[in-house]
Structures are given as structure tokens and as C-alpha cells.
């Protein structure tokens, strides 16, 4: 079956994820890179940048100008939280469907974007993690939390990551919150002698963020009960692990008219 071409803008094309997304577009017959948004190299073409695929797509530094001048169906954003949020709003206002992997949005920002997407009838996806295994790990964690409400999340990432906790850990905690009553964990009288020792507190469950060179993206969710422990774990060893999710999101967003927060909402 011949699929309709999907015209795509990528924001953050020089980044670890953005450059991987360009390769995905390059090898996918019905994906067409029509422009990129970067904070430098305005006016150049993607093929002018060392290490990026051969493409005539023009780079814009001004996101608004890009969306005004270029006909596009989807904006893939893989930048930083403040920029990703602005790009997402702009895209929806221009009728371009955003697929956003950028992490670090606040709950209020997600809510605002949900409302905007619904109001404009423009589909959108925010995926805290595009790796299918990570999505399953989050769903299994939610399922386990019904039976094991005492839980700690340990996420481990490369040391160039800007946000902590990771978007995946935040989403995991939110999914667990749907089935777990708030309850303080640990000893009722426990005290941190060094601030932060017990990690971030979400309704009494804890999130710990590890940042080390050599890591990519890893998370374990550890459930404890008297005499037993249950762990759900996922590892991304490279950024190719995220690309099947990006591809799926680009395909699915074309048929959507509201925002989905989390890839689990579009998996069949
Ligand atoms: N959902 C998922 O599955 C995944 C999500 N992520 C998230 O994706 C985002 C990007 O990650 P990663 O690729 O590792 O990060 P990188 O730092 O490698 O890439 C980010 C890119 O965004 C660029 N950028 C920053 N500001 C702007 C701007 N105003 N306009 C255009 N481009 C801009 C940066 O430019 P410069 O180089 O000049 O700083 C850089 O090239 C992060 O939020 C990360 O958490 C990462 C992996 C998987
Ligand atoms: O910055 C990263 O690398 C990643 N960010 C996302 C997150 O914050 O969860 C997804 C993945 O963990 C990789």
C-alpha cells in the first residue's frame, strides 16, 4: 500500500535525538523533511551541516517564520523544555501536529497544551519515552503498584541531561499515582542528614536520579513487600531505541485531533 507523504519539520536537528530523527526520516519513504528549526545555522541547508543526512531542507532560527513559510504536517521537537513548549504551542496554532519527545514540561504546561490542542482540533503527542520497552515498563509498574504500593523509582541517565527527574520517571510516578493511595514510605521518624538522600517525594514514593557518563537511559521501579521484592526495569543502550516510537507517533498523530500524553495512549 502506498502511504501518503508526511511533511515533517524537526526542531533540534543537531542534537543526539534530533540527528537520529533525521536519519529515520531519511530512510522512511513516505516521510519528507521540509525544514528544520535550530538555534544556529539559519538559512543553511541540512546537508551543509557535517554528519547530517543529505537533505535540501532549510534551517530556520525563527520557529514562527518557519511555520508561516513552510507547509508541514508534523513538527518533531527534540530540544529543551522552554523551547519545546513554545514550539508546541506555535505548531498547534499553525495547524501543524506536534510530536514532542522533549522532557521537563510541568503538569500545568501539559494541561495548557491539552486544552489548546482540543480547542484547535489539532492532534498532538507528548511522549516522555519513545522506546516501546519503556512504555511497557511504565504500564507494568502501574499494574504492579496495585498490589505493591511501596515503591521507589531509580532513573539513570547520561550526565548531559538537563532535567531531573526524567520525563519517564515523572510519567511513571503519575501512572502509579492513579492506583496508589498517598502514603509516606520509610520510617515515620526518618531524617535526612544530607539533603536529598531520600530522593524526590511524590505522594510519599521516592524518585532517585543518577547522572553518569556512559549511561544512555535506564530506569528500574522497585516494589517492596515483607519478604519479597519485585523489579521492573528498562534500558535504552542507544538512541535508535527511540525511533520506532517516533515513527509510530508521526503516523498516528496524523489521525488525531486531541493531545495524547504518553505513547501508551496510541499503542494498539
Ligand atoms: N521522549 C524520548 O523518548 C526521549 C526524549 N529525550 C529528550 O529530548 C530532548 C533532547 O535530547 P537530546 O537530543 O539528548 O539533547 P541534545 O542536547 O543532544 O539536543 C538538543 C538540541 O536542541 C537544540 N536547541 C536548544 N535550544 C534550541 C532552540 N531554541 N531552537 C532549536 N534548537 C534548540 C540544542 O542546540 P545546542 O546544541 O546549540 O545546544 C541541541 O542541538 C531532551 O529533552 C531529552 O530529555 C531524549 C531521548 C529520548
Ligand atoms: O534525556 C534523555 O536522554 C532521555 N529523556 C527522556 C526522559 O526524560 O525520560 C527519555 C529517555 O529517558 C531519554
Amino acid at each position: 500500500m502506498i502511504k501518503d507523504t508526511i511533511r515533517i519539520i524537526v526542531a533540534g536537528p543537531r542534537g543526539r535525538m534530533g540527528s537520529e530523527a533525521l536519519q529515520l526520516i531519511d530512510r522512511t519513504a513516505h516521510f519528507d523533511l521540509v525544514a528544520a528549526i535550530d538555534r544556529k545555522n539559519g538559512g543553511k541547508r541540512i546537508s551543509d551541516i557535517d554528519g547530517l543526512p543529505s537533505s535540501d531542507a532549510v534551517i530556520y532560527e525563527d520557529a514562527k517564520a518557519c511555520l508561516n513559510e513552510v507547509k508541514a504536517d508534523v513538527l518533531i521537537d527534540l530540544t529543551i523544555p522552554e523551547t519545546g513548549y513554545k514550539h508546541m504551542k506555535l505548531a498547534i496554532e499553525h495547524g501543524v501536529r506536534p510530536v514532542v519527545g522533549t522532557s521537563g514540561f510541568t503538569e500545568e504546561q501539559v494541561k495548557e497544551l491539552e486544552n489548546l490542542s482540543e480547542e484547535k482540533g489539532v492532534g498532538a503527542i507528548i511522549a516522555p519515552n519513545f522506546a516501546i520497552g519503556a512504555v511497557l515498563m511504565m504500564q507494568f509498574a502501574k499494574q504492579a503498584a496495585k498490589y505493591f504500593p511501596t515503591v521507589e523509582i531509580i532513573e539513570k541517565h547520561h550526565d548531559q541531561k538537563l532535567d531531573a527527574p526524567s520525563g519517564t520517571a515523572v510519567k511513571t510516578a503519575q501512572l502509579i499515582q492513579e492506583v496508589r493511595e498517598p502514603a509516606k514510605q520509610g520510617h515515620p521518624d526518618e531524617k535526612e542528614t544530607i539533603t536529598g538522600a531520600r530522593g524526590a517525594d511524590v505522594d510519599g514514593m521516592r524518585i532517585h536520579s543518577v547522572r553518569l557518563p556512559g549511561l544512555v537511559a535506564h530506569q528500574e521501579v522497585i516494589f517492596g513487600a515483607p519478604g519479597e521484592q519485585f523489579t521492573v526495569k528498562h534500558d535504552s543502550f542507544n538512541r535508535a531505541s527511540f525511533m520506532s516510537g517516533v515513527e509510530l507517533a508521526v503516523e498516528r498523530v496524523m489521525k488525531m485531533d486531541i493531545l495524547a500524553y504518553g505513547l501508551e495512549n496510541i499503542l494498539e
Side-chain angles (χ1 to χ4, degrees):
M1 192 184 79
I2 297 173
K3 294 183 178 172
D4 288 340
T5 298
I6 303 178
R7 297 163 300 186
I8 304 172
I9 298 171
V10 172
R14 286 176 298 107
R16 286 174 289 260
M17 280 292 282
S19 55
E20 197 73 43
L22 293 187
Q23 288 181 42
L24 166 72
I25 295 167
D26 197 41
R27 64 175 177 262
T28 308
H30 65 294
F31 284 5
D32 184 17
L33 180 72
V34 290
I37 302 171
D38 197 352
R39 62 172 167 193
K40 54 187 187 192
N41 299 312
K44 290 188 179 171
R45 298 190 182 265
I46 284 293
S47 50
D48 296 332
I49 313 299
D50 278 351
L52 297 189
S54 148
S55 161
D56 281 346
V58 172
I59 300 170
Y60 286 76
E61 287 177 24
D62 181 343
K64 204 168 183 178
C66 179
L67 288 158
N68 280 334
E69 290 171 22
V70 179
K71 262 193 123 16
D73 303 301
V74 172
L75 168 80
I76 300 178
D77 188 278
L78 297 157
T79 59
I80 56 173
E82 301 74 33
T83 305
Y85 169 69
K86 280 188 209 145
H87 286 170
M88 211 174 159
K89 271 179 86 168
L90 271 176
I92 295 173
E93 279 157 3
H94 283 77
V96 175
R97 297 168 165 87
V99 167
V100 176
T102 305
S103 54
F105 292 172
T106 63
E107 268 187 69
E108 292 71 32
Q109 285 175 325
V110 174
K111 191 82 227 145
E112 193 191 327
L113 291 162
E114 262 169 4
N115 291 340
L116 185 65
S117 158
E118 190 171 353
E119 180 195 319
K120 302 283 182 193
V122 176
I125 296 174
I126 300 175
N129 200 313
F130 283 116
I132 305 300
V135 178
L136 293 175
M137 175 262 297
M138 289 186 257
Q139 288 185 307
F140 295 156
K142 176 179 175 180
Q143 203 178 340
K146 283 185 202 160
Y147 310 101
F148 294 93
T150 310
V151 48
E152 306 222 352
I153 299 169
I154 304 179
E155 57 95 339
K156 304 181 209 168
H157 281 83
H158 58 92
D159 62 353
Q160 298 306 299
K161 187 162 178 57
L162 294 176
D163 53 315
S166 70
T168 308
V170 172
K171 178 72 184 181
T172 307
Q174 290 169 342
L175 290 170
I176 291 175
Q177 278 179 306
E178 290 175 21
V179 296
R180 176 186 175 274
E181 290 300 324
K184 185 181 183 305
Q185 295 179 182
H187 194 284
D189 298 331
E190 79 178 5
K191 280 197 178 57
E192 288 181 337
T193 53
I194 300 179
T195 305
R198 289 287 288 121
D201 183 336
V202 180
D203 285 350
M205 76 179 127
R206 300 288 173 161
I207 305 179
H208 310 269
S209 297
V210 177
R211 297 290 177 265
L212 288 171
L215 292 171
V216 177
H218 317 263
Q219 178 168 294
E220 46 195 288
V221 188
I222 307 176
F223 300 89
E228 62 176 319
Q229 186 175 92
F230 177 67
T231 305
V232 195
K233 183 171 183 286
H234 178 262
D235 297 278
S236 272
F237 298 114
N238 59 37
R239 279 147 191 114
S241 66
F242 302 113
M243 290 304 127
S244 54
V246 174
E247 183 176 353
L248 180 78
V250 169
E251 302 270 7
R252 292 284 156 83
V253 80
M254 291 301 294
K255 299 190 176 77
M256 290 166 50
D257 56 8
I258 56 167
L259 185 151
Y261 169 47
L263 222 56
E264 68 278 10
N265 296 299
I266 61 160
L267 284 178
E268 278 163 0

